[in-house]
Amino acid sequence: MLQTILVATDGSDHARKAVRLASDLCAKYEARLVLVHVLMNHASSATLTKLASQRALGKRLWDRLNSYESEIYEAMAGADAAAGFVPIPAPREVLEGVAKVVLERAEAQAAKAGVARIDTRVAGGDPADAILDAAKTEKADMIVLGSRGLGDLKGLFLGSVSHKVAAQSEATCVTVK
Ligand code: ATP
Ligand code: MG
């Protein structure tokens, strides 16, 4: 019945639980697992730093991750621009490096749980739209997400990505608590 399960991961602890459930189901039903990560344009350098490490990311990208914000703030100050706490997206190569780290970890977790067929996908754009698109392209029978992610509004039951995917998905969608 279940042939393809898609699980979306932002590298959070919640997403790790989602990968665990999706992997167990894939192992049981001998289904293919598709792991999707959407580049995190809105994540701060502090959040990205927590997800990766110098060892996982490599020294050059790690140094870029730790310097891009201050370089831009300094350039803005030099240009006499109004430098405040404006969120600045990380360079694309850093986001791609983080994507690789997050997906490799999830892949190792799934392989350990006994999943034989694993595909990984990196996407860009709005996370919920990209997850819904990937589910269609991959003909997923089920989408699994964490109920929350890396966002820090502690009181929420459901993050905006899980909310939008659950509302718009044509396939069965499971949000893991
Ligand atoms: P919000 O982002 O709305 O502030 P949040 O971060 O707590 O809140 P969501 O972003 O909705 O919650 O995350 C819920 C789940 O959605 C995650 O556990 C993960 O499964 C998936 N998800 C979120 N962002 C991404 C992403 N960039 N790539 C892949 N999956 C994601
Ligand atoms: Mg989020």
Side-chain angles (χ1 to χ4, degrees):
M1 183 195 115
L2 285 172
Q3 289 185 333
T4 300
I5 299 179
L6 181 143
V7 59
T9 176
D10 57 358
S12 62
D13 291 342
H14 288 90
R16 207 183 143 70
K17 284 195 196 168
V19 173
R20 190 189 306 153
L21 177 70
S23 301
D24 285 353
L25 289 172
C26 280
K28 184 169 164 51
Y29 289 98
E30 295 179 2
R32 177 173 72 107
L33 181 68
V34 183
L35 292 160
V36 179
H37 174 79
V38 187
L39 296 178
M40 296 192 287
N41 283 308
H42 301 293
S44 66
S45 63
T47 300
L48 296 172
T49 311
K50 276 186 221 145
L51 288 178
S53 64
Q54 175 166 330
R55 206 167 126 230
L57 206 55
K59 182 166 167 22
R60 193 181 66 80
L61 289 181
W62 182 250
D63 288 348
R64 271 210 91 186
L65 170 55
N66 285 290
S67 62
Y68 76 88
E69 267 180 346
S70 52
E71 278 168 15
I72 289 176
Y73 286 137
E74 272 165 35
M76 284 170 80
D80 220 15
F85 286 100
V86 187
I88 297 164
R92 191 172 171 97
E93 62 172 353
V94 170
L95 294 177
E96 285 170 349
V98 170
K100 192 163 173 275
V101 172
V102 166
L103 285 173
E104 276 172 2
R105 269 190 211 134
E107 196 174 358
Q109 188 190 346
K112 209 172 158 197
V115 185
R117 283 180 300 153
I118 307 171
D119 290 318
T120 58
R121 303 281 180 258
V122 178
D126 174 74
D129 289 341
I131 293 164
L132 289 161
D133 277 356
K136 274 208 176 128
T137 310
E138 300 293 338
K139 299 192 170 52
D141 307 297
M142 180 187 276
I143 303 177
V144 185
L145 303 110
S147 54
R148 293 292 318 272
L150 296 166
D152 44 23
L153 286 175
K154 298 269 183 273
L156 292 182
F157 288 116
L158 212 55
S160 57
V161 176
S162 7
H163 182 264
K164 185 169 170 185
V165 173
Q168 295 188 15
S169 166
E170 285 170 17
T172 300
C173 183
V174 176
T175 47
V176 178
K177 282 274 178 180

